[in-house]
Amino acid sequence: MEQQNLKSVAAPAIERPFAEVEAALERAGRVEELLRLYEGRARDVGPDEASAVLCRAAELSKDRLKNLARAEEYLRRALLFAPASATPLVGLLRLFEQKQDASGLAETLEQLGALASGEEGAAHFVKAADLYEQKLYRRDRAVLCLQRALRAHPADRTIARRVRALLLLESRAQPAWDSLERERAALGSEGMLEEYLTFAERLKDDPTEHALVVKALEVAHQLAPSDARPVRLKQELERSPQTWRDRVRMLRTLSMEERDRKSAARMCLLVAKLHAWYEQEAHA
């Protein structure tokens, strides 16, 4: 009993000097000494408190010294002490926003998304995807982030459709088809007719993907037997061996008028695929 009483008295005695010194240094505006105090404290306490004091050191470095590199170092050390804490990551997020560092922002948002769950986690991954797609021009990473967002919030059809649009832009038809089928299985057929028709329209000029187009049109016909569009598109597909040269001429014209170089390149690639598929001797 006496030992327990001694411990209960001793605990505040350990805390009080640190708090008093911290307050005194803050009042005096002695930032460098305060930073050294925090660094020493981080070596003497448990991981959670070490992370907290290093986060305070980061705030001082950023706000009082305007030293963003030093603040980042403190936050990364804080994250090593407490990898499951969002506080250092939020600090890094604000830091990278101030630095306008899109790469650092995207990576930090991914880490925050991994810590969170449900809609909150999905929102972090979607923001990371925006940065990868619009600022860093990394569609592959954007797709991965959106897929992780969809795992966090499977009921969000907006995310599923954005994933699919990016996959089709990347000419990844099979994963885009798998995405269609997963969405229909998980969330039902409501609104899916247009998605299957859009998928078929996007791929109808690529003869190497006609098997998937046929599957998409079959599902579209099952979803809406009275809709004439799946039948019309299937007829166009069946006439392709006779009409592919007309399509080549149209794609060439469109590619020369297209201002976006990537879009023009995709059209030229389709022209090459059509020749390779229907005119196998025309290697040039």
Side-chain angles (χ1 to χ4, degrees), residues 93-108:
L93 202 64
R94 292 172 182 159
L95 187 71
F96 291 135
E97 284 172 350
Q98 188 171 337
K99 291 170 64 177
Q100 296 185 330
D101 182 345
S103 179
L105 266 175
E107 290 177 9
T108 306

Side-chain angles (χ1 to χ4, degrees), residues 79-90:
L79 196 58
L80 288 174
F81 277 110
S85 172
T87 305
L89 290 172
V90 171

Side-chain angles (χ1 to χ4, degrees), residues 157 161 180 184 188-200 216-230 233:
R157 286 193 130 135
R161 289 167 187 184
L180 266 177
R184 183 164 64 106
S189 298
E190 184 179 352
M192 293 300 295
L193 172 64
E194 297 302 325
E195 294 300 310
Y196 280 96
L197 288 174
T198 298
F199 179 87
L217 293 175
E218 287 173 352
V219 174
H221 183 65
Q222 291 170 12
L223 294 175
S226 60
D227 196 310
R229 290 175 296 172
L233 281 170

Side-chain angles (χ1 to χ4, degrees), residues 2-255:
E2 288 180 4
Q3 287 180 347
Q4 288 179 348
N5 290 334
L6 284 171
K7 285 182 181 179
S8 64
V9 171
I14 293 171
E15 286 296 323
R16 195 175 170 196
F18 171 76
E20 287 181 356
V21 174
E22 180 185 30
L25 291 173
E26 282 178 349
R27 285 193 300 271
R30 294 155 68 177
V31 177
E32 286 293 347
E33 290 181 50
L34 193 52
L35 289 174
R36 285 195 291 274
L37 177 72
Y38 288 147
E39 289 174 4
R41 183 71 171 174
R43 289 192 291 269
D44 296 335
V45 296
D48 291 339
E49 188 178 347
S51 179
V53 296
L54 287 171
C55 285
R56 297 214 291 275
E59 286 295 315
L60 274 176
S61 298
K62 178 169 71 74
D63 298 336
R64 300 286 293 277
L65 300 181
K66 309 300 180 186
N67 189 332
L68 301 186
R70 192 171 177 184
E72 182 178 348
E73 181 186 344
Y74 282 130
L75 288 167
R76 292 198 181 280
R77 284 172 60 192
L79 196 58
L80 288 174
F81 277 110
S85 172
T87 305
L89 290 172
V90 171
L92 283 169
L93 202 64
R94 292 172 182 159
L95 187 71
F96 291 135
E97 284 172 350
Q98 188 171 337
K99 291 170 64 177
Q100 296 185 330
D101 182 345
S103 179
L105 266 175
E107 290 177 9
T108 306
L109 283 164
E110 282 191 81
Q111 290 175 286
L112 279 168
L115 284 181
S117 60
E119 292 185 41
E120 182 187 354
H124 290 310
F125 283 124
V126 168
K127 287 178 184 176
D130 291 341
L131 287 165
Y132 281 124
E133 183 184 4
Q134 298 162 19
K135 298 285 187 182
L136 300 170
Y137 307 106
R138 289 287 309 275
R139 281 187 188 143
D140 56 332
R141 289 294 296 271
V143 167
L144 287 173
C145 285
L146 289 170
Q147 287 172 332
R148 295 180 75 182
L150 197 56
R151 283 196 291 273
H153 188 29
D156 193 328
R157 286 193 130 135
T158 304
I159 299 174
R161 289 167 187 184
R162 189 172 165 196
V163 169
R164 196 151 52 247
L166 283 178
L167 287 170
L168 288 172
L169 279 174
E170 291 289 289
S171 301
R172 295 169 63 185
Q174 185 62 51
W177 168 259
D178 295 339
S179 167
L180 266 177
E181 293 289 85
R182 277 196 302 271
E183 182 180 344
R184 183 164 64 106
L187 302 176
S189 298
E190 184 179 352
M192 293 300 295
L193 172 64
E194 297 302 325
E195 294 300 310
Y196 280 96
L197 288 174
T198 298
F199 179 87
E201 283 280 3
R202 288 291 302 272
L203 293 177
K204 70 178 183 180
D205 290 328
D206 186 344
T208 64
E209 303 294 355
H210 279 183
L212 286 179
V213 175
V214 169
K215 286 183 181 180
L217 293 175
E218 287 173 352
V219 174
H221 183 65
Q222 291 170 12
L223 294 175
S226 60
D227 196 310
R229 290 175 296 172
V231 176
R232 176 178 55 77
L233 281 170
K234 191 172 183 181
Q235 289 171 349
E236 284 184 30
L237 215 63
E238 291 168 350
R239 290 197 299 270
S240 293
Q242 292 78 44
T243 61
W244 69 273
R245 290 183 185 277
D246 296 332
R247 196 66 187 160
V248 161
R249 283 192 288 271
M250 189 190 77
L251 286 167
R252 278 179 173 157
T253 302
L254 289 173
S255 69

